[in-house]
Amino acid sequence: MLKGTVLLPGDKSITHRAIIFASLAAKTSRIEGALLGEDCCATIQCFQQLGVEIERVNTTTLVITSPGVEQFQQPEQAIDCQNSGTTARLMMGILAALPFQTTLIGDESLQRRPMQRVAQPLRQMGAQIQLSQTGTLPAVITGQRLQGITYHSPVASAQVKSAILLAGLFADGETIVYEPEQSRDHTERFFAELGFEWQQINQLTVRVTKHQRKWNFPDCYHVPGDISSAAFWLVGASLIPESIIEISHVGLNPTRTGILEVLDQMGANIERQEIDFSGEPVGKLIVKSATLQAINIGGAMIPRVIDEIPIIALAATQAHGQTCVSQAEELRVKESDRITQTVQLLKQLGAEIMETADGFIIDGPTPLQNQGVYDSFGDHRLAMVLAIAEAYLAVPMHIKRRKAYCVSYPDFETTLTMLQQEARISGINLKK
Ligand code: S3P
């Protein structure tokens, strides 16, 4: 049983962007509710190397004092984006326009991920970017004067879209990006909040023109909780009998709430209250355990649940019927190949799961069992899938690279222990 109230970490995507936009403006800004996990710290370090002063006031607050993007300095060393694809790709969009040379590197996982998808459109804008022979990091970027382009992206990726749009803020003329399906729109919401000249032409098309005024950022910006982190509790509480978890201040941006629609369709018991809507919608979720049904997921839903698919797969092992995830080949180029690795881990747990080229098929429900040594492959989301499976099984599992969750959810283990303890206390009180 899991019981209690969860204080979520700040949204990872929004924290990256808040750090970026606050750093571009010549002023002091405060970011509250920020996620200071390893990924966002890579973005912080990146701007520190460019000459921005960033102070951590406490575990969720940053104070950023920037001389402004016009004063950024060539970093003395290569910038290490660590495990963070968002840092590497979004920074490429900005660095492509700055008048010096930068080198971006990353950890073993990031050095395997495709960067051509960003470098290629940026080169069309006039950028000079050199990648490895296989189109990966390290990237050597020599800033140039950029020209706006119209780009039809072959992938629905907010990182690709955002890199081009960020470059578009520095490029002459206008820049238009079309996507095959809508990806998360946090960059565009910042454009609206910061008064940039831009337009959402339709759901799949965004236009931006060169930013020629003073760069601005609010004195204080508050980051909502991360729904992708909440997903682990939504599935955990759904699967573990008699659970009830309240999750407050969670971001409910419609480009991210696919997990709620998927779990709703699966028969989950989730109550949703929308509380605040300023820039990013925010609300509260209450989840109770439920019997789940199988579901088909594909098409426009995929970008809206892209980071939640591994934990949805765990839910599907306990759902009645056949779950089919298709058109999700993007998962193969995440922090790990999340199709192959999810299938391997769930098979090892006893699930009936079959890998396909662009997803997987799961037959449920099957009893799960703890057998052998599990490995997160250093992928934060897979580490949390395994920890939720462990809580569900209620037996300790041997999980290698268990702490990979620190990339996006440093307090994950502490929160899980708290929810288990509260459940035990309420169980004792019930018996009394
Ligand atoms: C992100 C976009 C998504 C997501 C990633 C964060 C972002 O990746 O998987 O965790 O902040 O823009 P893609 O843009 O590659 O789809």
Side-chain angles (χ1 to χ4, degrees):
M1 188 183 353
L2 298 175
K3 270 212 168 117
T5 303
V6 168
L7 201 62
L8 282 178
D11 187 278
K12 180 159 79 70
S13 294
I14 299 174
T15 302
H16 280 296
R17 287 159 174 81
I19 296 165
I20 290 172
F21 287 113
S23 296
L24 294 177
K27 64 175 294 225
T28 296
S29 325
R30 192 178 170 91
I31 303 174
E32 289 184 347
L35 165 65
L36 300 183
E38 291 168 6
D39 262 22
C40 296
C41 288
T43 298
I44 291 175
Q45 212 188 326
C46 180
F47 282 104
Q48 285 172 330
Q49 282 181 254
L50 292 166
V52 180
E53 226 178 90
I54 305 185
E55 186 199 347
R56 283 173 185 232
V57 177
N58 55 44
T59 54
T60 57
T61 308
L62 292 173
V63 172
I64 299 188
T65 304
S66 174
V69 60
E70 292 86 1
Q71 306 300 322
F72 283 4
Q73 306 268 334
Q74 170 159 335
E76 281 166 15
Q77 284 164 354
I79 292 178
D80 189 355
C81 304
Q82 298 173 37
N83 195 244
S84 176
T86 311
T87 307
R89 297 195 176 114
L90 270 53
M91 287 314 297
M92 239 187 254
I94 295 170
L95 295 169
L98 301 187
F100 46 75
Q101 191 175 77
T102 342
T103 302
L104 297 182
I105 55 172
D107 70 6
E108 219 183 294
S109 148
L110 187 58
Q111 302 242 151
R112 277 196 304 266
R113 297 178 66 186
M115 294 296 149
Q116 208 66 271
R117 49 175 58 195
V118 177
Q120 195 233 329
L122 291 177
R123 284 189 198 118
Q124 279 180 35
M125 297 176 85
Q128 197 183 319
I129 301 176
Q130 216 184 310
L131 297 176
S132 78
Q133 278 193 339
T134 48
T136 56
L137 296 184
V140 181
I141 303 152
T142 314
Q144 302 291 328
R145 183 168 187 146
L146 303 180
Q147 197 62 46
I149 54 164
T150 295
Y151 188 67
H152 291 261
S153 176
V155 281
S157 158
Q159 292 177 0
V160 172
K161 173 176 66 178
S162 301
I164 303 167
L165 292 176
L166 286 168
L169 290 173
F170 298 90
D172 293 333
E174 64 174 26
T175 299
I176 300 177
V177 185
Y178 293 87
E179 309 188 81
E181 304 286 359
Q182 192 183 18
S183 64
R184 63 193 65 191
D185 67 354
H186 305 299
T187 301
E188 296 90 305
R189 283 175 190 258
F190 271 109
F191 282 6
E193 174 141 358
L194 302 179
F196 295 161
E197 221 177 289
W198 79 290
Q199 195 189 1
Q200 179 93 46
I201 296 173
N202 58 46
Q203 238 187 18
L204 306 179
T205 317
V206 185
R207 170 169 56 206
V208 68
T209 48
K210 184 172 181 155
H211 185 63
Q212 286 171 318
R213 282 174 290 145
K214 203 170 147 228
W215 296 83
N216 206 1
F217 194 80
D219 293 339
C220 187
Y221 180 88
H222 199 97
V223 180
D226 198 325
I227 191 161
S228 298
S229 298
F232 297 98
W233 311 126
L234 296 175
V235 170
S238 296
L239 294 183
I240 303 173
E242 293 174 65
S243 296
I244 169 162
I245 299 180
E246 193 174 304
I247 307 168
S248 49
H249 201 69
V250 54
L252 294 175
N253 178 320
T255 61
R256 297 284 300 283
T257 49
I259 179 69
L260 299 180
E261 283 157 52
V262 164
L263 289 175
D264 259 357
Q265 279 181 47
M266 292 178 82
N269 183 345
I270 301 173
E271 199 188 306
R272 165 180 173 160
Q273 293 165 13
E274 212 133 318
I275 292 170
D276 187 16
F277 193 119
S278 56
E280 290 281 348
V282 171
K284 181 160 107 176
L285 301 171
I286 299 169
V287 53
K288 297 179 185 157
S289 12
T291 305
L292 300 181
Q293 306 301 324
I295 188 177
N296 286 327
I297 309 173
M301 181 54 92
I302 295 296
R304 299 181 60 224
V305 287
I306 191 72
D307 293 337
E308 291 72 71
I309 291 175
I311 192 67
I312 291 172
L314 178 68
T317 68
Q318 301 312 299
H320 294 258
Q322 187 170 78
T323 290
C324 180
V325 173
S326 60
Q327 297 169 293
E329 58 276 5
E330 266 300 292
L331 289 176
R332 294 204 183 273
V333 290
K334 292 293 175 190
E335 287 82 332
S336 69
D337 177 340
R338 285 190 180 151
I339 294 182
T340 299
Q341 311 300 23
T342 301
V343 168
Q344 186 186 320
L345 291 178
L346 294 184
K347 260 195 190 148
Q348 198 185 338
L349 279 163
E352 288 278 332
I353 179 166
M354 192 182 81
E355 180 169 347
T356 62
D358 61 352
F360 40 75
I361 297 167
I362 300 175
D363 283 296
T366 45
L368 299 186
Q369 47 197 309
N370 176 21
Q371 41 192 356
V373 177
Y374 295 84
D375 189 353
S376 74
F377 309 103
D379 182 323
H380 55 126
R381 307 229 184 256
L382 298 185
M384 291 186 273
V385 169
L386 286 170
I388 295 294
E390 184 181 46
Y392 174 66
L393 285 170
V395 289
M397 280 164 49
H398 186 165
I399 303 172
K400 272 167 56 186
R401 295 185 265 187
R402 187 185 267 275
K403 289 204 179 290
Y405 60 76
C406 289
V407 160
S408 62
Y409 200 160
D411 288 338
F412 175 78
E413 218 163 37
T414 324
T415 306
L416 178 55
T417 308
M418 179 275 288
L419 293 170
Q420 288 169 322
Q421 268 165 3
E422 291 229 358
R424 267 195 293 276
I425 294 165
S426 83
I428 294 166
N429 287 344
L430 275 182
K431 276 190 201 137
K432 273 184 191 164

